[in-house]
Amino acid sequence: MRVTKRTNIAIRVLMHCAANTGRLVTKSEIAKCCNASENHLAQVINQLAQLGFLSTHRGRNGGLELARPADQIRIGEVFRTLESPVPLAECFADADNTCPLTEACRLRLALSEAANAFYATLDPITLDALVCGNAALINILVPVQACSIPRPTGALAAVAQV
């Protein structure tokens, strides 16, 4: 199974917002930090907002934030919601399916079960579990100027990453 670029970017956006709880983040900030184009980000952000994962605020001091707490966002739900419109194989497509084996193919059933197992594995994982206590990730996702608490240096930095 392969995760689409859209879902990959969506998870980056959600992790960035979770790491920066308490403040609005901007699309350009996320694009720079997560190595994504602003145009593609805009589409993903719009979809995440429509699905209720993000809350967006327009205007000069606008930005985006999580629409609900990170411990209430399940990664399986995000993946399932974003990946389900993309057919796993040609035989899963309602349109454009030219495979003559679709009705009798046992591989189709096995692939469907594998996809369900994939999502089920992600269901118990929350966004909070991906971000909370992950010092290496926080160092990447939280801009220094946004951090109100000074980052540890030297021996303290090594301890913080454990």
Side-chain angles (χ1 to χ4, degrees):
M1 181 161 189
R2 184 181 168 119
V3 175
T4 62
K5 187 173 185 176
R6 178 177 294 270
T7 302
N8 188 351
I9 290 174
I11 294 298
R12 292 184 208 178
V13 169
L14 293 172
M15 287 194 300
H16 194 279
C17 290
N20 288 279
T21 300
R23 73 177 189 89
L24 296 177
V25 297
T26 65
K27 179 177 61 175
S28 61
E29 176 188 327
I30 296 171
K32 182 179 176 186
C33 187
C34 294
N35 196 27
S37 81
E38 284 194 42
N39 289 336
H40 201 159
L41 265 177
Q43 295 171 17
V44 172
I45 289 167
N46 184 43
Q47 186 175 15
L48 288 171
Q50 288 177 350
L51 294 169
F53 294 112
L54 290 179
S55 178
T56 59
H57 306 273
R58 294 183 180 261
R60 185 171 181 219
N61 295 317
L64 54 134
E65 62 186 344
L66 295 177
R68 56 188 196 241
D71 64 353
Q72 294 178 17
I73 296 176
R74 301 221 165 257
I75 301 305
E77 176 189 5
V78 176
F79 271 69
R80 190 177 284 106
T81 304
L82 295 174
E83 293 288 322
S84 64
V86 179
L88 188 59
E90 177 188 356
C91 58
F92 287 89
D94 292 334
D96 302 328
N97 180 11
T98 61
C99 180
L101 309 176
T102 300
E103 295 303 317
C105 185
R106 291 180 180 163
L107 179 60
R108 184 172 192 244
L109 178 61
L111 288 174
S112 181
E113 289 175 1
N116 289 335
F118 173 76
Y119 295 130
T121 301
L122 296 175
D123 282 337
I125 302 169
T126 63
L127 181 58
D128 187 55
L130 297 179
V131 177
C132 186
N134 189 342
L137 182 72
I138 297 299
N139 284 334
I140 295 167
L141 296 178
V142 179
V144 175
Q145 67 272 16
C147 195
S148 59
I149 301 169
R151 292 177 188 228
T153 57
L156 288 177
V159 172
Q161 290 189 11
V162 174

